[in-house]
Short mmCIF file of all heavy atoms in Angstrom, two decimals:
data_model
loop_
_atom_site.label_atom_id
_atom_site.label_comp_id
_atom_site.label_asym_id
_atom_site.label_seq_id
_atom_site.Cartn_x
_atom_site.Cartn_y
_atom_site.Cartn_z
N SER N 68 70.46 86.62 61.45
CA SER N 68 69.49 87.54 60.84
C SER N 68 68.15 87.45 61.57
O SER N 68 67.41 88.43 61.64
CB SER N 68 69.31 87.21 59.36
OG SER N 68 68.93 85.85 59.22
N GLY N 69 67.86 86.30 62.13
CA GLY N 69 66.61 86.13 62.87
C GLY N 69 66.62 86.76 64.25
O GLY N 69 65.59 86.87 64.89
N GLY N 70 67.83 87.15 64.75
CA GLY N 70 67.91 87.81 66.04
C GLY N 70 68.46 86.95 67.15
O GLY N 70 68.56 87.40 68.29
N SER N 71 68.82 85.69 66.84
CA SER N 71 69.38 84.82 67.89
C SER N 71 70.86 85.13 68.10
O SER N 71 71.57 85.47 67.17
CB SER N 71 69.24 83.35 67.48
OG SER N 71 67.89 83.01 67.37
N ARG N 72 71.32 85.00 69.37
CA ARG N 72 72.73 85.22 69.68
C ARG N 72 73.57 84.04 69.23
O ARG N 72 73.13 82.88 69.32
CB ARG N 72 72.90 85.41 71.20
CG ARG N 72 72.64 86.82 71.66
CD ARG N 72 72.51 86.89 73.17
NE ARG N 72 71.12 86.75 73.54
CZ ARG N 72 70.37 87.74 74.02
NH1 ARG N 72 70.88 88.93 74.19
NH2 ARG N 72 69.11 87.54 74.30
N ARG N 73 74.77 84.30 68.77
CA ARG N 73 75.74 83.26 68.47
C ARG N 73 77.06 83.64 69.13
O ARG N 73 77.60 84.71 68.89
CB ARG N 73 75.95 83.11 66.95
CG ARG N 73 74.80 82.44 66.23
CD ARG N 73 74.58 81.02 66.69
NE ARG N 73 73.16 80.68 66.73
CZ ARG N 73 72.46 80.19 65.70
NH1 ARG N 73 73.05 79.95 64.57
NH2 ARG N 73 71.18 79.92 65.83
N PHE N 74 77.58 82.70 69.97
CA PHE N 74 78.81 82.98 70.72
C PHE N 74 80.01 82.31 70.06
O PHE N 74 79.93 81.16 69.65
CB PHE N 74 78.67 82.46 72.15
CG PHE N 74 77.63 83.22 72.95
CD1 PHE N 74 76.28 82.92 72.80
CD2 PHE N 74 78.00 84.21 73.84
CE1 PHE N 74 75.32 83.61 73.53
CE2 PHE N 74 77.04 84.91 74.57
CZ PHE N 74 75.71 84.60 74.40
N SER N 75 81.12 83.04 69.98
CA SER N 75 82.36 82.52 69.41
C SER N 75 83.23 81.93 70.52
O SER N 75 82.95 82.10 71.70
CB SER N 75 83.12 83.63 68.71
OG SER N 75 83.57 84.57 69.66
N ASP N 76 84.31 81.27 70.12
CA ASP N 76 85.27 80.77 71.11
C ASP N 76 85.87 81.92 71.91
O ASP N 76 86.12 81.78 73.10
CB ASP N 76 86.39 79.99 70.41
CG ASP N 76 85.94 78.57 70.08
OD1 ASP N 76 85.32 77.93 70.94
OD2 ASP N 76 86.21 78.11 68.96
N ALA N 77 86.09 83.04 71.24
CA ALA N 77 86.63 84.21 71.96
C ALA N 77 85.63 84.68 73.01
O ALA N 77 86.01 85.01 74.13
CB ALA N 77 86.95 85.33 70.98
N ASP N 78 84.34 84.71 72.64
CA ASP N 78 83.30 85.06 73.61
C ASP N 78 83.36 84.12 74.80
O ASP N 78 83.26 84.54 75.96
CB ASP N 78 81.92 84.97 72.97
CG ASP N 78 81.67 86.09 71.95
OD1 ASP N 78 82.23 87.18 72.12
OD2 ASP N 78 80.91 85.85 70.99
N LEU N 79 83.52 82.82 74.52
CA LEU N 79 83.54 81.83 75.59
C LEU N 79 84.75 82.01 76.49
O LEU N 79 84.64 81.88 77.72
CB LEU N 79 83.55 80.42 75.00
CG LEU N 79 82.16 79.84 74.78
CD1 LEU N 79 82.25 78.42 74.27
CD2 LEU N 79 81.37 79.86 76.09
N GLU N 80 85.89 82.29 75.88
CA GLU N 80 87.10 82.50 76.68
C GLU N 80 86.89 83.67 77.63
O GLU N 80 87.16 83.59 78.83
CB GLU N 80 88.29 82.76 75.76
CG GLU N 80 89.62 82.69 76.46
CD GLU N 80 90.74 83.21 75.57
OE1 GLU N 80 90.46 83.99 74.64
OE2 GLU N 80 91.89 82.85 75.83
N ARG N 81 86.38 84.76 77.07
CA ARG N 81 86.09 85.94 77.89
C ARG N 81 85.08 85.58 78.98
O ARG N 81 85.22 85.96 80.14
CB ARG N 81 85.55 87.05 76.99
CG ARG N 81 85.29 88.36 77.72
CD ARG N 81 84.89 89.45 76.73
NE ARG N 81 84.46 90.67 77.37
CZ ARG N 81 85.27 91.67 77.69
NH1 ARG N 81 86.54 91.59 77.41
NH2 ARG N 81 84.81 92.75 78.30
N LEU N 82 84.07 84.83 78.60
CA LEU N 82 83.03 84.43 79.55
C LEU N 82 83.60 83.64 80.71
O LEU N 82 83.23 83.85 81.88
CB LEU N 82 81.97 83.60 78.81
CG LEU N 82 80.85 83.02 79.64
CD1 LEU N 82 80.18 84.08 80.50
CD2 LEU N 82 79.83 82.35 78.72
N ARG N 83 84.54 82.75 80.43
CA ARG N 83 85.14 81.96 81.50
C ARG N 83 85.93 82.85 82.45
O ARG N 83 85.93 82.63 83.66
CB ARG N 83 86.03 80.87 80.91
CG ARG N 83 85.24 79.81 80.17
CD ARG N 83 85.95 78.47 80.16
NE ARG N 83 85.18 77.49 79.35
CZ ARG N 83 85.31 77.34 78.05
NH1 ARG N 83 86.18 78.08 77.39
NH2 ARG N 83 84.59 76.45 77.40
N ARG N 84 86.61 83.84 81.88
CA ARG N 84 87.36 84.78 82.74
C ARG N 84 86.38 85.59 83.61
O ARG N 84 86.64 85.84 84.78
CB ARG N 84 88.19 85.71 81.86
CG ARG N 84 89.05 86.69 82.66
CD ARG N 84 90.25 86.03 83.27
NE ARG N 84 90.99 86.95 84.16
CZ ARG N 84 91.15 86.75 85.46
NH1 ARG N 84 90.66 85.67 86.03
NH2 ARG N 84 91.82 87.61 86.19
N ILE N 85 85.26 85.97 83.02
CA ILE N 85 84.23 86.68 83.78
C ILE N 85 83.76 85.81 84.95
O ILE N 85 83.62 86.28 86.08
CB ILE N 85 83.03 87.04 82.88
CG1 ILE N 85 83.44 88.07 81.82
CG2 ILE N 85 81.88 87.60 83.71
CD1 ILE N 85 82.39 88.31 80.76
N GLN N 86 83.53 84.53 84.67
CA GLN N 86 83.09 83.61 85.71
C GLN N 86 84.10 83.52 86.83
O GLN N 86 83.75 83.57 88.01
CB GLN N 86 82.83 82.23 85.12
CG GLN N 86 81.48 82.12 84.45
CD GLN N 86 80.39 82.63 85.37
OE1 GLN N 86 80.13 82.08 86.42
NE2 GLN N 86 79.74 83.73 84.97
N GLU N 87 85.39 83.37 86.46
CA GLU N 87 86.43 83.32 87.48
C GLU N 87 86.33 84.52 88.41
O GLU N 87 86.33 84.38 89.64
CB GLU N 87 87.82 83.35 86.82
CG GLU N 87 88.33 82.02 86.32
CD GLU N 87 89.72 82.18 85.71
OE1 GLU N 87 90.48 83.06 86.19
OE2 GLU N 87 90.03 81.47 84.76
N LEU N 88 86.25 85.70 87.81
CA LEU N 88 86.28 86.92 88.61
C LEU N 88 85.02 87.06 89.47
O LEU N 88 85.11 87.39 90.66
CB LEU N 88 86.44 88.14 87.70
CG LEU N 88 87.82 88.25 87.05
CD1 LEU N 88 87.84 89.34 85.98
CD2 LEU N 88 88.88 88.54 88.10
N THR N 89 83.86 86.80 88.90
CA THR N 89 82.63 86.94 89.69
C THR N 89 82.60 85.89 90.81
O THR N 89 82.16 86.19 91.92
CB THR N 89 81.37 86.81 88.82
OG1 THR N 89 81.42 85.60 88.09
CG2 THR N 89 81.27 87.95 87.84
N ASN N 90 83.09 84.68 90.52
CA ASN N 90 83.12 83.66 91.57
C ASN N 90 84.06 84.07 92.71
O ASN N 90 83.91 83.60 93.83
CB ASN N 90 83.58 82.32 91.00
CG ASN N 90 82.51 81.69 90.15
OD1 ASN N 90 81.32 81.99 90.27
ND2 ASN N 90 82.91 80.81 89.24
N GLU N 91 85.02 84.92 92.38
CA GLU N 91 85.93 85.39 93.43
C GLU N 91 85.42 86.66 94.09
O GLU N 91 86.13 87.29 94.86
CB GLU N 91 87.32 85.63 92.82
CG GLU N 91 88.03 84.34 92.43
CD GLU N 91 89.21 84.57 91.50
OE1 GLU N 91 89.44 85.72 91.09
OE2 GLU N 91 89.90 83.59 91.18
#
Side-chain angles (χ1 to χ4, degrees):
Chain N
S68 56
S71 297
R72 276 167 268 252
R73 287 297 143 88
F74 294 80
S75 67
D76 280 316
D78 289 330
L79 270 183
E80 192 191 23
R81 184 174 173 90
L82 177 52
R83 292 207 184 87
R84 182 75 186 118
I85 294 171
Q86 279 310 295
E87 277 181 32
L88 290 170
T89 55
N90 288 337
E91 289 164 356

